Amino acid sequence: MSKTAIITAKDVDVFYGDKQALDKIALDIPEYKVTSLIGPSGCGKSTFLRCINRMNDLVPIARVEGDIRIAGQDIYAPEVDVVALRAQVGMVFQKPNPFPKSIYENVAYGPKIHGLAKGKTEMDELVQWALEKAGLWNEVKDRLDQPGTGLSGGQQQRLCIARTIAVKPKVVLMDEPCSALDPIATAIIEELIDELRQNFTIVIVTHSMQQAARVSQRTAFFHLGTLVETGPTKNIFTSPEDERTQNYITGRIG
Amino acid sequence: MTDLISPSSQLKGRKSAETRFQWYGRGAIFVSLLFLVVMVGSILTKGVGAFGTTNVAIEVDLGPDAIDPANPADARFEKIVKDALKTQFPEAKKRKDRRMIYGLLSNDMGFELERFVEANPEAIGGTATVWFRASDDFDAVAKGAVDRSLPEDERRMSDKEIAWIDQLTEQGAVERTFNWSFFTNGDSREPELAGILSALMGSALTLLVCFCISFPVAILAAIYLEEFAPKNRFSDLIEVNINNLAAVPSIVFGLLGLSMFLNTFGMPRSSPLVGGLVLSLMTLPTIIIAARASLRAVPPSIREAALGMGASPVQATFHHVAPLALPGILTGTIVGMAQALGETAPLLMIGMVAFIVDVPDSILEPATALPVQIFLWADAPERAFVEKTSAAIIVLLLFLVTMNIIAILLRRKFEKRF
Amino acid sequence: MATVDTNTPHDALDLVNSQRKKGVEFVVMAILILCSLVAVLVTVGIVLSLIFEAYRFFERIPMTEFLFGTQWSPQTALRADQVAAEGAFGAVPLITGTLLISFIAMCVATPLGLMSAIYLSEYASKRFRDFVKPALEILAGIPTVVYGFFAALTVAPLLRSGGESVGLNVSSESALAAGLIMGMMIIPLISSLSDDVINSVPQAMRDASLGLGATHSETIRKVVLPSAIPGVAGALLLAASRAIGETMIVVMAAGLAANLTANPLEAVTTITAQIVALLTGDQEFDSAKTLSAFALGLLLFVVTLCLNIIALRIVRKYQEQYD
Ligand SMILES: Nc1ncnc2c1ncn2[C@@H]1O[C@H](COP(=O)(O)OP(=O)(O)OP(=O)(O)O)[C@@H](O)[C@H]1O
Ligand SMILES: [Mg+2]
């Protein structure tokens, strides 16, 4: 079975000041698949995720070394525009963070700044498409002009997903998207992630082993800033090669 | 065993020291608030009188001898009024007495009659009863502000004048009305005619200039310092600068305005333009500091959300962060404007201390401002100006209270947002 | 482990350039930087204009005479042909007058402001605080011209007649009246700054003292205040700088008599009051009289700046200590 890697990372080191948070990470992420990053708290999952759309640029003390390519292009090359990169690599955060504006404006904001829709009707269609994809359309179609912050937590997170995919990125990064949600909202989002796989490559950080097993095709296990093991999710959970992985999935560390 | 219930004498002393200490604290607060109440109260009681005015009805002869019906504008109106007064009080024959009866009415009596004739041309040719504004001394007697029990030489009004006033009062020719002209007149040498309109307009124009400069500059500076400035010595320099500027005495800003805007750049002296410029430099630090605080209060998740979907930092700031910080920035701006509205010293430096009768209608004309008007009136020798000053202070305080209430309401309305 | 083929070509992603208008953003940034530079420019403008005008003054009157002379009577010739002296420009009486009034003000405001702050932060119930703090803020929001009016028309005559009744001769423009009212004006400044300082003393220090059986007031006096002293000192310096630079109260209540005295019942004048007197009314711009106002302004600026810098340093150091 041959897969196409859309993201390739080699020798990625990240430092926060003097402290090294990631050590020589090499990871390939296949296209149109869900890849989950798991590992104990503080092992550097979020740090790695934030390298992929260069959100670490916002941390003044952070330094990223190594080579990360998306579709063959080095995203840390000097000529790369972070803004263009983030339009291609969207991100959904741990806590739902809709803009305190209307639902419609939340979704339309990305297409607007990137000039993806011409005219009102095209924008309306795009907003509807994104909300449908995020499984939110039926719940909000009658109150698009109400503030996004008035939705429930799970709805807000789906709104954030809709907002991200409205830009039609290649890759969607999700950092513990369900950790602030109840089990029912979580189940809805997991289902959603599975569907989004048709159109997007998804990288998800999660603390829940079950979630990783349910939604992802590939899993990467991080430990103390290193990538210990990566492979098809089935293999990682049934026959891990490394003892640390074994310990983690059986609950002995973490 | 030690007794935990009944305290030793040493403990009693410590307990009473504790009580005393608390009373010092209460006392300090009491004194401060008492001072506030006394100061505001004394100004209120002194000032309310100025919101009323006394009018006197005098019968004037507008016959052909006095006014030429073909050419009424040429009539000597003041003389007509004075003649009417002479007829009303025939006993005043000596020049000194004559001057006293003329002094019962305001110096404006000629104009008042002229205005009456213009409004009532049909009155020409006969006699008419016209309401004139009483002089400030008359007003004081009518209000009961003159102590009649004092010996004659210790009060402003002689027995004779008081008798005339009583006579007029008995005839029903004296009334007190709300003093609209206090709000519709400019400054005047005569207290009964002086009003605050020109000062109010001057203040409004000055604040307008001040707002138009300091609001955008302060917001943009705050945005730069809070959202974009790299951490280096240069940013530190700006930061220290702003903090120090906030504590520079206001009069120094006035000196800057005088030497720079007036003498170097040759801007018009006494104008709201220069006044507003100087005040804007002064309020800049206040607004910047408030704006930075409210930008800092915007949760970082909003910034991340925008950046994470490919908004540039400038877009993230101007589309999302700044609008959320706006209520806080506005609150700070209103507080800064209130500070500017009450500021006097720098305006004295740039000559906004002139005697302004006309209402200024451009930012280039000479003008004065409400607090400067207060300063000028406080210095005027006429007793009646004390009342005017207090009344002007009441108006100023009302404006300040209103502005602060708006600021508080804004803060209340928006603070529970995140 | 499944193999991953990294070499398969993808649709090329456009990461180099979007339709972003870089030029616009550059201009926006330039404007932002410019605006934050205004604050620096204002300071530079103040320093330059004061130094420039003061320099012209010191060309005529030696600086030593200005700083150490004890005679202040800035007369100018009334007519061009008059050979009258340029007047005497010894600033010492103004400096002592300023210090006297500020000293009286601080004597009034320090105990009242500090005790209010202590009571509000250590004893007062939340409801009491919520009522009193805004009330004190009102005191801070009243324009100083109002204080000046009250001082000149109510307090000064009161002191004068009060003094007379006990056989004291109080000047109608006494330093005492101006100082008292100025003290009232800076109470809210001292109390709000000290309030912040006292609140930032860690609760653990209080608990330790209370746990040893100290009463609340003993804890405040022996533990809280000593550790808050640097912060309180910073607050007092800021207040003193404010008092020295205050203009309207002294212009209206202190008068213009340049007496060299330490008697609070006599009339004194201050630097700010003289600046106003020199620069309002008719002025010829090149006379020593007018220029001396800028020399006074420079003196005022330097003194208050030093006080502010020291105060801000102390306060910042103090805050870092407990962060
Ligand atoms: N902004 C930062 N500044 C300094 N150190 C940081 C910063 N962000 C993360 N770190 C450090 O980098 C290491 C990795 O952090 P990261 O957030 O990537 O962990 P994580 O695996 O996502 O943990 P969690 O599961 O708790 O979210 C941690 O030791 C953390 O303390
Ligand atoms: Mg994380």
Side-chain angles (χ1 to χ4, degrees):
Chain A
M1 182 167 76
S2 163
K3 295 183 190 95
T4 318
I6 183 166
I7 304 171
T8 58
K10 281 198 198 90
D11 287 342
V12 176
D13 291 335
V14 177
F15 300 87
Y16 289 110
D18 296 334
K19 192 172 160 288
Q20 185 161 12
L22 286 183
D23 186 16
K24 296 272 172 293
I25 305 296
L27 180 64
D28 290 343
I29 291 168
E31 197 168 17
Y32 300 126
K33 293 272 176 335
V34 178
T35 302
S36 58
L37 311 181
I38 60 170
S41 191
C43 66
K45 308 175 296 284
S46 300
T47 301
F48 181 72
L49 198 72
R50 291 163 63 91
C51 287
I52 302 175
N53 72 344
R54 290 183 59 176
M55 286 299 272
N56 277 334
D57 290 14
L58 302 176
V59 182
I61 56 168
R63 205 172 79 243
V64 179
E65 284 168 9
D67 182 83
I68 300 178
R69 286 172 188 274
I70 295 182
Q73 284 191 61
D74 179 3
I75 61 167
Y76 280 88
E79 69 272 14
V80 167
D81 181 358
V82 274
V83 168
L85 169 70
R86 289 181 195 145
Q88 300 288 354
V89 185
M91 188 156 194
V92 176
F93 298 84
Q94 182 169 358
K95 257 175 68 187
N97 55 354
F99 300 126
K101 299 188 175 188
S102 73
I103 294 170
Y104 183 92
E105 281 176 84
N106 261 285
V107 182
Y109 179 69
K112 209 179 284 167
I113 58 172
H114 295 299
L116 296 184
K118 291 173 212 69
K120 176 98 175 76
T121 44
E122 211 171 303
M123 182 64 87
D124 289 349
E125 282 164 18
L126 185 53
V127 169
Q128 181 171 354
W129 173 83
L131 286 170
E132 274 170 355
K133 272 272 162 204
L136 197 58
W137 177 251
N138 286 330
E139 290 157 67
V140 301
K141 63 178 178 227
D142 301 324
R143 44 170 174 154
L144 289 175
D145 54 346
Q146 285 175 22
T149 41
L151 297 172
S152 76
Q155 288 173 323
Q156 285 189 16
Q157 194 62 301
R158 276 180 281 153
L159 178 61
C160 291
I161 293 174
R163 182 178 71 181
T164 306
I165 61 180
V167 187
K168 304 208 170 156
K170 279 267 178 295
V171 180
V172 178
L173 309 175
M174 299 184 174
D175 193 349
E176 302 181 40
C178 303
S179 66
L181 305 180
D182 62 70
I184 294 171
T186 301
I188 296 174
I189 298 228
E190 284 179 5
E191 223 169 277
L192 175 61
I193 291 172
D194 204 47
E195 275 170 33
L196 289 175
R197 182 155 68 89
Q198 319 290 328
N199 307 76
F200 306 97
T201 304
I202 293 171
V203 186
I204 176 172
V205 170
T206 175
H207 268 282
S208 151
M209 245 79 68
Q210 292 88 335
Q211 185 170 61
R214 281 194 299 264
V215 302
S216 70
Q217 288 74 52
R218 287 181 73 81
T219 297
F221 172 64
F222 283 68
H223 187 61
L224 296 176
T226 57
L227 177 61
V228 173
E229 188 171 351
T230 174
T233 301
K234 257 192 284 139
N235 300 3
I236 295 279
F237 281 95
T238 51
S239 50
E241 287 166 12
D242 196 286
E243 195 186 342
R244 286 169 294 179
T245 320
Q246 172 78 36
N247 287 343
Y248 181 69
I249 57 175
T250 54
R252 250 169 280 166
I253 54 171
Chain B
M1 250 182 78
T2 41
D3 186 354
L4 294 179
I5 312 294
S6 57
S8 67
S9 67
Q10 185 252 1
L11 198 56
K12 262 187 199 147
R14 288 171 59 198
K15 274 261 155 44
S16 61
E18 169 75 35
T19 321
R20 238 180 296 132
F21 191 76
Q22 290 195 24
W23 277 108
Y24 293 150
R26 289 194 195 102
I29 292 171
F30 177 75
V31 170
S32 313
L33 296 186
L34 180 72
F35 172 78
L36 175 68
V37 171
V38 168
M39 181 166 80
V40 174
S42 100
I43 288 169
L44 284 182
T45 46
K46 274 201 192 110
V48 281
F51 294 108
T53 184
T54 306
N55 301 316
V56 189
I58 304 283
E59 187 161 292
V60 288
D61 175 16
L62 300 177
D65 294 344
I67 295 188
D68 174 7
N71 203 356
D74 275 0
R76 294 172 57 205
F77 291 103
E78 189 162 335
K79 183 168 175 301
I80 301 173
V81 185
K82 285 183 174 172
D83 288 343
L85 284 166
K86 274 189 269 182
T87 330
Q88 178 108 17
F89 302 106
E91 68 273 25
K93 290 244 159 41
K94 279 184 275 177
R95 279 183 63 188
K96 192 165 149 265
D97 290 351
R98 287 264 168 86
R99 218 177 304 131
M100 280 204 279
I101 55 169
Y102 302 155
L104 291 175
L105 300 188
S106 87
N107 274 5
D108 235 9
M109 51 193 167
F111 296 110
E112 283 179 9
L113 181 60
E114 187 172 357
R115 249 175 279 144
F116 173 83
V117 171
E118 269 167 27
N120 309 287
E122 72 281 356
I124 297 174
T127 57
T129 304
V130 181
W131 285 96
F132 291 96
R133 175 172 297 235
S135 70
D136 52 332
D137 290 335
F138 191 146
D139 188 50
V141 174
K143 266 193 287 233
V146 171
D147 186 358
R148 292 170 188 237
S149 62
L150 281 175
E152 188 175 2
D153 52 348
E154 277 179 30
R155 55 179 138 80
R156 298 258 306 162
M157 283 295 215
S158 65
D159 288 341
K160 241 187 221 161
E161 287 168 289
I162 291 181
W164 289 330
I165 291 172
D166 288 343
Q167 181 191 333
L168 283 169
T169 315
E170 271 160 37
Q171 291 167 2
V174 177
E175 64 164 18
R176 281 189 57 78
T177 54
F178 186 77
N179 188 3
W180 285 111
S181 66
F182 183 66
F183 297 95
T184 55
N185 281 7
D187 197 4
S188 166
R189 303 265 182 229
E190 308 300 327
E192 69 272 16
L193 297 176
I196 55 171
L197 184 62
S198 55
L200 270 183
M201 270 312 282
S203 272
L205 290 172
T206 309
L207 278 194
L208 186 73
V209 174
C210 174
F211 177 82
C212 290
I213 295 169
S214 60
F215 183 64
V217 172
I219 288 195
L220 296 179
I223 285 179
Y224 177 75
L225 293 173
E226 205 51 47
E227 303 286 324
F228 299 106
K231 277 229 171 308
N232 57 21
R233 301 219 9 225
F234 177 70
S235 310
D236 268 0
L237 176 80
I238 297 180
E239 175 114 39
V240 169
N241 227 294
I242 290 171
N243 286 337
N244 276 318
L245 219 47
V248 168
S250 61
I251 192 168
V252 171
F253 287 93
L255 290 173
L256 170 74
L258 172 59
S259 142
M260 194 119 105
F261 299 140
L262 296 186
N263 293 334
T264 309
F265 299 158
M267 292 181 176
R269 203 178 142 78
S270 312
S271 64
L273 173 66
V274 179
L277 262 170
V278 168
L279 292 184
S280 72
L281 301 186
M282 224 189 70
T283 48
L284 209 53
T286 313
I287 306 181
I288 291 181
I289 291 169
R292 289 188 67 177
S294 67
L295 284 168
R296 217 173 298 139
V298 175
S301 68
I302 299 289
R303 238 164 252 137
E304 287 195 330
L307 294 172
M309 54 194 314
S312 71
V314 170
Q315 284 171 328
T317 302
F318 282 91
H319 294 167
H320 298 288
V321 180
L324 285 179
L326 200 59
I329 298 177
L330 279 178
T331 309
T333 308
I334 296 173
V335 171
M337 288 297 125
Q339 189 189 330
L341 176 59
E343 198 53 66
T344 321
L347 301 182
L348 300 182
M349 298 290 94
I350 55 150
M352 284 185 81
V353 58
F355 174 70
I356 307 288
V357 179
D358 299 321
V359 176
D361 47 22
S362 99
I363 57 170
L364 300 175
E365 274 174 50
T368 187
L370 194 50
V372 183
Q373 187 75 74
I374 290 169
F375 169 66
L376 285 172
W377 282 351
D379 235 17
E382 284 92 346
R383 284 295 303 274
F385 269 121
V386 172
E387 197 181 76
K388 291 277 163 178
T389 315
S390 306
I393 290 177
I394 293 173
V395 174
L396 177 64
L397 292 182
L398 279 180
F399 272 105
L400 292 178
V401 166
T402 315
M403 288 168 90
N404 281 299
I405 286 178
I406 293 175
I408 290 169
L409 290 182
L410 253 179
R411 195 179 312 168
R412 287 258 170 83
K413 177 141 190 267
F414 289 99
E415 78 183 345
K416 289 180 218 97
R417 188 137 188 189
F418 313 125
Chain C
M1 207 172 139
T3 53
V4 170
D5 173 11
T6 32
N7 295 322
T8 315
H10 290 270
D11 319 339
L13 289 183
D14 178 18
L15 299 184
V16 179
N17 192 20
S18 55
Q19 299 112 313
R20 240 175 102 194
K21 296 165 201 87
K22 284 252 172 70
V24 175
E25 304 221 330
F26 182 78
V27 173
V28 170
M29 281 315 277
I31 293 176
L32 291 184
I33 294 177
L34 222 64
C35 285
S36 50
L37 275 180
V38 168
V40 180
L41 286 182
V42 173
T43 310
V44 172
I46 289 176
V47 171
L48 280 187
S49 60
L50 287 182
I51 287 184
F52 176 69
E53 310 281 1
Y55 177 77
R56 296 206 294 161
F57 172 74
F58 290 128
E59 277 179 342
R60 295 165 202 220
I61 311 289
M63 195 185 287
T64 46
E65 189 192 321
F66 176 71
L67 285 180
F68 303 112
T70 55
Q71 193 70 31
W72 179 267
S73 51
Q75 315 304 344
T76 0
L78 289 174
R79 296 192 312 271
D81 57 310
Q82 235 173 5
V83 226
E86 284 246 82
F89 291 95
V92 170
L94 313 191
I95 297 171
T96 54
T98 306
L99 291 181
L100 176 62
I101 292 183
S102 306
F103 177 75
I104 298 171
M106 292 303 287
C107 285
V108 173
T110 306
L112 289 176
L114 202 54
M115 281 313 291
S116 307
I118 290 173
Y119 190 81
L120 285 177
S121 58
E122 296 282 335
Y123 291 107
S125 64
K126 185 171 175 328
R127 272 184 58 198
F128 188 76
R129 254 179 97 93
D130 286 351
F131 167 73
V132 170
K133 281 200 99 173
L136 285 178
E137 273 167 31
I138 295 179
L139 212 50
I142 293 180
T144 54
V145 69
V146 179
Y147 284 93
F149 174 73
F150 185 65
L153 272 99
T154 309
V155 178
L158 213 68
L159 284 179
R160 191 176 161 78
S161 58
E164 244 165 34
S165 66
V166 296
L168 280 174
N169 189 11
V170 183
S171 159
S172 61
E173 294 182 327
S174 65
L176 189 59
L180 275 178
I181 296 303
M182 196 188 279
M184 291 295 171
M185 183 202 81
I186 52 181
I187 286 175
L189 184 67
I190 294 184
S191 76
S192 76
L193 287 173
S194 316
D195 199 2
D196 296 344
V197 169
I198 291 169
N199 277 328
S200 67
V201 173
Q203 186 60 32
M205 285 177 68
R206 286 187 193 94
D207 293 347
S209 166
L210 292 169
L212 287 172
T215 64
H216 202 155
S217 70
E218 284 164 351
T219 304
I220 294 167
R221 273 179 298 171
K222 306 253 166 65
V223 178
V224 177
L225 280 186
S227 58
I229 270 189
V232 171
L236 293 185
L237 282 184
L238 277 181
S241 142
R242 178 76 189 278
I244 290 173
E246 169 50 39
T247 308
M248 291 321 291
I249 295 179
V250 288
V251 166
M252 297 171 83
L256 295 170
N259 294 327
L260 187 56
T261 174
N263 182 353
L265 304 182
E266 275 185 51
V268 295
T269 188
T270 68
I271 297 176
T272 49
Q274 283 298 326
I275 295 177
V276 170
L278 292 166
L279 291 182
T280 46
D282 299 326
Q283 38 171 295
E284 26 171 336
F285 205 72
D286 252 350
S287 70
K289 182 181 160 192
T290 321
L291 290 175
S292 68
F294 287 91
L296 290 175
L298 184 62
L299 181 65
L300 181 68
F301 179 71
V302 169
V303 170
T304 51
L305 188 71
C306 289
L307 284 177
N308 295 338
I309 289 179
I310 298 171
L312 289 175
R313 277 259 164 88
I314 294 178
V315 170
R316 189 185 287 187
K317 268 242 174 72
Y318 176 79
Q319 280 167 349
E320 277 164 9
Q321 186 186 333
Y322 289 121
D323 266 350

